[in-house]
Amino acid sequence: MPTFDQYNLDKQSIEVPGTRTPGATGKLQEFLTHVGFADNLIVNIRDEPHVKTLYDIWQNSVNKYANNEFLGHRPFNTVAQTYGGYTWQTFRQINQRVNAFGSGLMHLNEVILGNDTLNRWALGIWSHGRPEWFISEMSCNCYNLVSVALYDTLGPDAI
């Protein structure tokens, strides 16, 4: 199981200088880097200039770290009513699931629903934090779709 360095949760983002307006905070720049560097502002996170989109970041990570553990979950034992230890999947395994789910979405949209709009349509994701949430979100990024996060705490009108 991977281990992570401790980091300051109060330093997840900083206000971009000169962006504050009356009655509002300024724009925030999030730290888009490994938590081990969370105390430093990284101006350019890319070592490769071709990485420009979320899709590029994902593909670059899959290519570099294909066999590394990436996404984990704790299976729930319904008999004992307890969670087990973490089960991990690699970048390669998650990428296969992203591609399968995204391909399935495109098939449902085009063949089953008869929708000829192939990109930029919205997918509502209503789920607890789990691997399938990430897989759904990344499928949208990979297939040029719009993801819409839906939260049960917002009530039925939000849906």
Side-chain angles (χ1 to χ4, degrees):
M1 178 164 83
T3 59
F4 300 100
D5 296 333
Q6 291 293 318
Y7 61 99
N8 186 343
L9 293 175
D10 296 325
K11 294 183 108 177
Q12 298 284 323
S13 62
I14 63 165
E15 186 174 314
V16 177
T19 61
R20 185 176 287 251
T21 58
T25 61
K27 294 178 182 174
L28 298 178
Q29 178 174 351
E30 295 181 11
F31 290 107
L32 300 175
T33 185
H34 185 274
V35 296
F37 301 104
D39 289 332
N40 299 310
L41 175 61
I42 306 298
V43 176
N44 184 356
I45 63 168
R46 297 181 212 113
D47 289 332
E48 293 110 41
H50 70 279
V51 177
K52 296 182 173 147
T53 65
L54 291 172
Y55 173 79
D56 294 339
I57 291 170
W58 174 245
Q59 291 304 311
N60 192 57
S61 296
V62 170
N63 289 333
K64 280 185 166 183
Y65 311 111
N67 297 316
N68 289 16
E69 292 177 336
F70 170 65
L71 198 56
H73 75 285
R74 294 177 60 203
F76 185 72
N77 182 325
T78 57
V79 175
Q81 295 292 300
T82 59
Y83 287 95
Y86 277 93
T87 300
W88 294 92
Q89 292 184 315
T90 66
F91 277 88
R92 182 187 324 273
Q93 291 169 318
I94 295 298
N95 191 51
Q96 289 170 342
R97 293 181 69 188
V98 164
N99 288 329
F101 186 74
S103 294
L105 286 175
M106 299 307 285
H107 176 78
L108 286 172
N109 180 62
E110 186 178 2
V111 177
I112 306 301
L113 299 177
N115 186 356
D116 59 359
T117 303
L118 295 180
N119 59 41
R120 304 298 296 163
W121 50 272
L123 173 71
I125 304 172
W126 189 354
S127 174
H128 296 286
R130 53 184 299 144
E132 290 78 11
W133 200 105
F134 176 85
I135 291 164
S136 302
E137 170 75 15
M138 190 51 66
S139 293
C140 289
N141 294 332
C142 290
Y143 286 84
N144 199 26
L145 305 177
V146 177
S147 63
V148 180
L150 303 171
Y151 300 97
D152 56 353
T153 56
L154 297 176
D157 291 339
I159 306 306

